[in-house]
Amino acid sequence: MPSDLCDRSGLCGPNGDCDNNKLPACQCLTGFRPKWLERWNSSDWSDGCIHSKPLNCKSGDGFIRIGKVKTPDTTNSWVNKTMNLKECRAKCLRNCSCMAYTNLYVTRGGSGCAMWYGNLLDIKQFQSDGQDLYIRVSASEAERKKKAKVKLAIILGTVIAALLGFLLIVCSILRSRRKLKDEVKDKNLNDREDKDENEDMELAVFEFGTIAQATDSFSFNNKLGQGGFGPVYKGTLGNGQEIAVKRLSKSSGQGLHEFKNEVKLIAKLQHRNLVRLLGCCIHGDERMLVYEYMPNRSLDSFIFGMKIITDLSILSLLLLQ
């Protein structure tokens, strides 16, 4: 007994496809059109459908796959249990009366061959399960279908590529914003720490411009000497005080935190026999120590500047100091 409308024999006529989920239920197979359009539109489907473009068996036809269907009525059919699907297609293509083919055994991995001759009757569409059926159409119709699939694939590929590109751009923008936000946060934190530490140093912190003006932009004429940690320049502050500026080498590898700790330590080591540290300057990667200027130069110039000297005299000078 019929379980639904599409189980009625011959409902959609020859080459019709019945689908209970569509209105109207009867549709022409792909590559076909209603034989009598007025009757078809008035729900008289008994005359069925005919090819949209006539077949030309001699010049070569093609096939269109229709998926998930109940195969046609087997009154005019032929089967072979040993042929595969490729062989089945070749045999159907050579026979001008063959209108469709498919596998005989779907559950066995797609083996065997089933072919239909003449009009195809009682094809029913399923939403799931069902079987693939290959319908004979004109070569131009098959090529058009193939081109449509290729075009659809290209469109889908382009859309997917565009979406991926858009996502990459969005991710890049978000990553850049996050990085910039972190950099600003770190900079604000460092500036706050620098400000707090400068306030806790209990020592004068000179501006870079002040030191540069005092030393005539670190002029060679103001250079007092070169040590292992960098050159020393003579300078004069705006109030007339003479200073000696030790400009630490950028390649020393000393970090800002270590430099500040060292400055704090030197500031606490005040002694009458030690040159007094007046302050420091921190500007970008510049690290400078500002000492009081010694007009009589340092002790080593008196010791090592002599041409002839004995160990005893050196010891005496050291003891005197």
Side-chain angles (χ1 to χ4, degrees), residues 14-294:
N15 308 313
D17 183 12
C18 190
D19 190 344
N20 283 301
N21 297 303
K22 292 183 178 180
L23 288 175
C26 288
Q27 308 287 331
C28 285
L29 293 170
T30 304
F32 290 76
R33 60 178 176 81
K35 185 175 182 179
W36 303 107
L37 185 59
E38 293 182 359
R39 295 180 184 179
W40 186 272
N41 291 336
S42 62
S43 299
D44 181 4
W45 307 306
S46 58
D47 292 317
C49 307
I50 57 175
H51 282 94
S52 300
K53 295 182 179 180
L55 300 178
N56 192 335
C57 186
K58 292 182 180 181
S59 62
D61 296 322
F63 293 92
I64 293 179
R65 182 180 64 86
I66 301 176
K68 301 178 181 178
V69 298
K70 178 185 77 65
T71 55
D73 181 83
T74 57
T75 301
N76 298 316
S77 64
W78 177 89
V79 297
N80 184 291
K81 298 181 180 180
T82 60
M83 295 175 65
N84 57 37
L85 191 63
K86 185 177 181 180
E87 295 170 336
C88 188
R89 181 185 187 280
K91 185 174 180 62
C92 184
L93 191 60
R94 289 193 300 267
N95 191 329
C96 296
S97 299
C98 180
M99 291 294 110
Y101 73 93
T102 188
N103 283 126
L104 181 61
Y105 303 111
V106 180
T107 57
R108 299 182 186 179
S111 62
C113 173
M115 297 191 301
W116 286 262
Y117 302 97
N119 290 325
L120 306 174
L121 296 172
D122 294 338
I123 296 177
K124 179 180 178 180
Q125 193 72 46
F126 293 116
Q127 295 300 311
S128 59
D129 300 326
Q131 190 169 348
D132 290 341
L133 184 66
Y134 298 86
I135 309 295
R136 190 183 196 118
V137 294
S138 66
S140 59
E141 190 73 23
E143 186 66 23
R144 186 184 65 83
K145 186 71 174 180
K146 183 178 180 181
K147 288 182 178 179
K149 290 183 178 179
V150 172
K151 185 178 180 181
L152 179 61
I154 293 175
I155 294 174
L156 289 176
T158 303
V159 172
I160 292 173
L163 289 175
L164 289 176
F166 177 74
L167 290 176
L168 288 175
I169 293 174
V170 172
C171 291
S172 178
I173 293 175
L174 292 177
R175 191 182 299 111
S176 298
R177 288 184 176 179
R178 191 183 304 112
K179 183 178 180 181
L180 180 62
K181 184 178 180 181
D182 293 339
E183 289 178 354
V184 171
K185 184 178 180 180
D186 292 340
K187 184 178 183 301
N188 293 335
L189 181 61
N190 291 333
D191 291 343
R192 186 165 58 252
E193 291 178 352
D194 292 346
K195 182 178 179 181
D196 294 340
E197 290 189 11
N198 288 338
E199 293 176 353
D200 296 339
M201 287 179 67
E202 300 179 355
L203 195 66
V205 179
F206 293 89
E207 295 289 339
F208 180 80
T210 302
I211 301 300
Q213 183 178 1
T215 59
D216 193 16
S217 298
F218 304 98
S219 172
F220 180 79
N221 296 328
N222 289 333
K223 188 174 181 180
L224 298 175
Q226 177 78 34
F229 294 98
V232 180
Y233 298 88
K234 178 184 177 182
T236 304
L237 296 176
N239 59 6
Q241 182 181 5
E242 293 183 324
I243 57 174
V245 180
K246 179 181 289 186
R247 192 178 189 182
L248 300 182
S249 174
K250 297 178 182 180
S251 60
S252 63
Q254 189 180 48
L256 179 62
H257 185 70
E258 292 80 1
F259 173 75
K260 289 183 177 181
N261 287 337
E262 184 176 352
V263 171
K264 290 179 183 179
L265 179 61
I266 296 175
K268 294 178 181 179
L269 295 176
Q270 301 293 348
H271 190 271
R272 64 186 183 89
N273 289 337
L274 294 176
V275 62
R276 188 163 59 95
L277 179 66
L278 300 179
C280 66
C281 176
I282 302 172
H283 179 78
D285 54 357
E286 292 280 0
R287 310 282 189 270
M288 288 178 281
L289 297 174
V290 181
Y291 292 95
E292 61 178 341
Y293 175 67
M294 297 182 294

